């Protein structure tokens, strides 16, 4: 089977495996007091060109929920896209970590929050004191769940709304590397320089086994986060294990190389499929996902030929999601396109 | 530095590292739908001689809190030793995962629950309906936080109290392998055969990077645990990563070999130190911890010589805790004893 | 000032005051073991023509949140209208009592849930197991926050969707009396006979000081509700105080008389205003609220003349909400209409 | 039956009933924006000789849990007597309102916290950062659940421990009036002047229907308490109803007169019983409870004669608890003593 269902179907990158083997030597203080964790903070600060605080965890859900639990009180509201991962795919983790805050889902094309829609949602929520939950956080996903990207000025416009109402801005960066690479932006230019306060920085979907980090991009926001992480069971005892993955991920630009490859493979898929008559690609490929519209015969034929992918809920029937990753092989991409071409020819 | 502070100061065992490298090949379905996870359930069922359900997570705190969250309602009570890890070292994780249950700490010598003290505590709590939290779970630790062991009949006596009041019995097995090996018991004989319902089975302290499992030892208790795990951010996306560690841990008796070594090293430490005049060993070494009482000069001298260990709160001043693990070297043990002997001679 | 802002601006009805004075005599067992509470259960069972369980509390928010906390697990979803009180005006109480469930707000005209929109929302939520919160409860409000009513067959259609997905159906009946009277229906005919499982039965807005009840309309749903009520601080020690209000409310049809008066006054307001040229009444008055569209001069003039009421968010600017209650005086209604007529004439 | 089981078996005092009837006239803004609530703040500030903030609720459990929820984070610890109401009789309400904080119960004679035991418990809890819950609040009960009192210097000594570790000091004053009257102290002298930060001020057990208040005795501690109260379903819509009870309670020294009577009746009971040979009164009566030790025949005989009271868990078998209240009749007290005397004579 050739698996295009997600970027979490791979194992770990060889560089990560090597780093883990190296890190396994000897003894080290547990619970994040090790030298890998210390080095990690320096590496992330360097990458983001500002002193940051870094709290490693093992899942994206944990990173997001921990960040939101730290930023939003139980009687608060988190504003996000209605289709965002935190709202639809974490089984209420943000609600658990915040002790019951409300996620306000906002519609918008391409999985993206629009500043006007956000502003309207905040005003609607904040209408009457005490009876209403208190607006506290805005969360956006970069790259989005629809494979789209926020340009720096789009983030800045969201941040401007946050400032207006004194809200914190969180970014779910499960696919942050792919976004940064695709936009050609320095990490700082799509985060704190345009108003992002806290980032969930993902590595798992881009080569790590299980390594994400909550990154506080400005001081004064993280007061209780260590207790919150421990209390959620997310303080790993052999802390070097998570930190070593993340250090290796940042060393030698592994994050960039892996993301570039994934993005290139998705573009290749999109380019190849869109040249086929009978296949539509309504939206350009922005990061590592392509959303072609395939005739039934092609969809079924590809699956029969061993390609795995998800149907995608969309107004256009026949839409599927194809996800690439750091280990996607060019030959597999080309073979999928060729197979589709053959199926189209056969059904013509 | 030679580190005797804990059994989580090591990296991973070579067998675990190899298993991770092997498991990293190719693609696999995420979120526990992989073949390693399937194999794990079979392996644990074989080892425990009964069909079990296995839910892997990455920390012992997560395993304990998830088990308790599943077994205890928000208005319930969990009875445990007052010095148990769940009561003192998890920053309220059980309270978070249960949405606010109460842990009732019970005193007792050697870190162990005594059935009479347990019975009395349950009766005191359950005195008045509605106003009182509802007794729901008893949790005991094997091996205990004091390095002691529950014999099978001691567990059975606790289970008898649970039956009396219709409570579930949970076992925190962060050091379960060491206990089973030291007691010379089959895992089944110190768990479900003597009344344990759910086990937190630890591997991290005995050779894994980050791998524990909640093991349901009888059917009908785990209804919502998958949602609870996801919601806590503990459903690892590359599920084979945790499962592969655990499979390797159970394969070829790695768990038993590692635990045997750790126990042997602690006994060697205890035996060696207790022959020194001026050193007391009030309690026998039962698993992988020794608690000698050292004169000040020896304590300080050992630390100056590069040995790390914790002072232990005790009625006997000078008590320290020495913990061994799968990678503790015999030479380091012998050198510590020799150094202590030298310090005693010098201070005589 | 003549206050049309809400039906909670009054004190208590004289019958309620008398009942409290009578109930104050002598001693009685606390915490709901008194004879008033016992009588209440009989009275509600009689009124609803089925054996019910009744749990009195002092606020509508408590009644709703307690019911939802009982019916929905922490990882569950409650489906409701996006403008429902539970979603917008309880500061996250349902989230607190459920320990973090998600409220899924559904749009719909007139503050009412439509079965198709409900079905679509449930299907969207339930798409992927484990990652998604589990659909558990549907909640509708009768009369709605917009003053509209659900006819029995409309409720039955909602209940049919609930059955399809095995969800419980909750009704927020803060204004239940007004709905029953306006529809001319027996309470049973707009609740359990058409599929409602649990009712928040309000009395405060219709003559009590502070008395609501969670009414379980069929057996097997209330297992832990007593502990949940106590734990939320809502088990009143002098239980007869809440029960006596509710008994008086049901005795001699007080609930019906008070609701009929409130509804009649709102209809009179609507009828009177809609005859004025320059005033629109887009929707008929169904219960005790009228939503006329007033020219600015009339709105301001009425306020200057001492009439209080809220502007209402609406697509039609100038919409206001006028609420009547059991103690609204006919003379005040007529005077408001006359004043509006005068203001219109003056501004013509 | 003559009921000595508790001080919540009565109805409301006539002054409270009259106040409610008066307050019921006309309309008033809901949710605490009424003039009674405003007056209440002034009255409490006058009584406590300092500007306070007052948040009325309807139960003591709600007052305590709301105060603790405001003062203690989810990962925090509340130190209290092991037999305190918050620890044993609120079904986990403090755990619910704090989203999972830990209550650390401390033993001590007479239901009282001793500063040394408190200091030791705090040090034990706070031993290791991150793994341990964070000490946040100390709560003491005045008068205690055992009917004993803290003298001002005893409270000051507790407060000194709080200052040492920067903890907040909460007082459960469900029976505050009885304590103040018995001690002959101004309210300020047993609260903020000796270091109490927040008081749960009870009126229900001393003449109200259902009226308690969280009183913040110094500024800067109450930031989110309004949202927390609303979210818990404890913001009563007809706010004047709770406020009017509390205003009447404070007007004309009703609180003092009612408490004095209750205390006098308990003393009379204690004095009368302790003169009987065969009856022991191990502890003096300090407030409105007496704890005599009665021979079996007397205990049973009194119950057969229609007197109700609870057996009390104690090292001395035969101990019972007799509670008096504002409406306890002297004749009933004297009759109980006479009946006991007769039973003793008959059994001699």
């Amino acid at each position: 089977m050739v698996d295009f269902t997600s970027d979490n179907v791979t194992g770990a990158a060889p560089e990560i495996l090597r780093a883990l083997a190296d890190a396994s030597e000897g003894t080290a203080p547990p619970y994040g007091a090790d030298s890998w964790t210390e080095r990690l903070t320096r590496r992330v600060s360097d990458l983001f060109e500002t002193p940051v605080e870094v709290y490693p965890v093992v899942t994206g859900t944990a990173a997001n929920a921990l960040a939101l639990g730290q930023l939003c009180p139980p009687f608060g509201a988190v504003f996000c896209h209605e289709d965002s991962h935190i709202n639809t795919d974490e089984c209420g983790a943000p609600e658990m970590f915040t002790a019951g805050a409300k996620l306000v889902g906002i519609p918008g094309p391409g999985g993206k929050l629009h500043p006007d829609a956000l502003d309207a949602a905040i005003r609607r929520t904040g209408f009457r004191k005490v009876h209403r939950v208190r607006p506290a956080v805005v969360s956006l996903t970069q790259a989005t769940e629809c494979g789209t990207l926020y340009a720096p000025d789009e983030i800045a416009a969201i941040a401007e709304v946050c400032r207006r109402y004194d809200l914190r801005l969180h970014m779910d960066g499960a696919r942050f590397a792919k976004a940064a690479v695709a936009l050609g932006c320095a990490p700082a230019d799509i985060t704190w320089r345009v108003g992002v306060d806290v980032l969930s920085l993902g590595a798992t979907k881009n080569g790590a086994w299980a390594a994400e980090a909550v990154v506080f991009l400005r001081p004064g926001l993280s007061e209780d986060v260590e207790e919150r992480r421990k209390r959620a069971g997310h303080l790993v005892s052999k802390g070097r294990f998570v930190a070593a993955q993340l250090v290796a991920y940042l060393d030698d630009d592994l994050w960039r190389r892996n993301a570039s490859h994934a993005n290139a493979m998705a573009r290749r898929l999109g380019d190849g499929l869109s040249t086929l008559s009978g296949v539509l690609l309504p939206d350009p490929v922005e990061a590592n996902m392509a959303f072609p519209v395939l005739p039934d015969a092609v969809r079924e034929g590809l699956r029969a030929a061993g390609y795995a992918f998800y149907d995608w809920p969309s107004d256009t029937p026949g839409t599927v999601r194809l996800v690439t990753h750091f280990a996607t092989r060019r030959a597999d991409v080309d073979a999928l396109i060729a197979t589709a071409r053959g199926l189209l020819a056969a059904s013509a």
Side-chain angles (χ1 to χ4, degrees), chain A:
Chain A
M1 196 189 65
V2 184
D3 196 336
F4 289 97
T5 54
S6 182
D7 34 12
N8 56 26
V9 298
T10 62
E15 296 88 340
I16 302 281
L17 288 171
R18 265 201 304 279
L20 283 176
D22 292 349
S24 189
E25 294 297 311
T27 60
Y31 301 119
D34 59 276
S35 62
W36 289 264
T37 302
E38 195 192 329
R39 209 181 320 158
L40 175 62
T41 299
R42 287 202 308 272
R43 296 288 291 109
V44 183
S45 295
D46 287 350
L47 182 63
F48 282 80
E49 307 170 50
T50 192
V52 302
E53 291 170 70
V54 182
Y55 298 92
V57 293
V58 295
T59 70
T61 294
N64 287 334
L66 184 59
L68 296 175
Q70 176 63 22
L71 298 175
C72 186
F75 42 83
V78 176
F79 296 85
C80 56
H81 194 277
E82 63 179 1
D83 295 331
S84 62
H85 199 267
I86 60 170
N87 197 36
T88 67
D89 281 283
E90 302 189 343
C91 199
E95 285 87 347
M96 180 181 177
F97 281 61
T98 56
K102 189 184 283 288
L103 270 65
V104 179
I106 302 170
K112 287 165 73 174
L113 278 182
H114 190 277
D116 294 346
L118 172 62
D119 188 274
I122 295 167
R123 288 156 61 100
R124 211 160 42 236
T125 300
F127 183 70
R128 234 164 92 199
K129 233 181 80 62
V130 177
H131 302 269
R132 301 292 171 99
V133 289
R134 186 192 291 174
V137 182
V138 173
S139 178
L140 46 80
T141 312
Q142 174 81 311
T144 74
E145 292 77 6
C146 295
T148 55
L149 301 173
Y150 287 94
D153 63 331
E154 291 178 307
I155 302 170
I158 296 287
E160 171 57 33
V161 179
C162 293
R163 253 191 309 279
R164 197 175 303 151
Y165 299 104
D166 192 25
L167 311 186
R168 303 288 84 71
L169 183 52
H170 166 256
M171 178 177 277
D172 176 354
R175 297 190 175 97
F176 183 78
K178 285 136 188 171
V181 163
L183 289 162
C185 286
D189 289 341
I190 52 172
T191 55
W192 64 271
R193 283 207 186 104
V194 286
V196 176
D197 297 308
V198 180
L199 171 69
S200 297
L201 175 63
T204 309
K205 283 186 158 73
N206 197 29
W209 265 128
E212 314 273 317
V214 184
V215 180
F216 287 84
L217 295 157
R218 57 186 189 80
L221 294 176
S222 67
E223 195 185 3
D224 304 320
V225 75
E226 294 203 57
E227 277 89 352
R228 292 184 188 278
R229 182 175 56 169
K230 171 67 192 176
R231 173 177 176 71
H234 283 288
L235 179 58
V236 169
S237 66
K238 299 182 177 177
R240 52 177 146 164
F241 152 69
V242 196
Q245 292 181 75
L246 290 166
V247 168
Y249 181 67
L250 300 180
D251 272 348
D252 305 320
D253 273 348
L254 177 61
W255 68 276
R256 203 185 300 268
R257 282 181 285 123
N258 280 357
S260 297
H261 177 79
N263 289 352
M265 290 303 99
R267 258 195 328 272
R268 188 174 185 89
L269 260 180
D271 291 350
L273 289 171
S274 62
T275 62
L276 305 181
S277 102
V279 171
L280 285 175
L281 192 75
D283 299 300
V285 172
E286 299 190 42
N288 70 318
M289 301 197 227
F291 294 87
V293 182
L294 304 178
D296 290 359
V298 176
R299 248 181 19 256
E300 286 158 24
L302 284 172
R303 282 179 175 140
Y307 297 96
F309 48 86
Y310 285 124
D311 292 326
W312 194 248
S314 161
D315 292 339
T316 316
T319 302
V320 305
R321 185 182 81 161
L322 301 170
V323 189
T324 57
H325 49 71
F326 77 95
T328 299
R329 284 177 297 195
R330 181 179 299 209
D332 288 337
V333 167
D334 293 346
L336 181 148
I337 297 165
T339 306
R341 183 182 296 115
L343 289 161
L344 284 161
S347 69

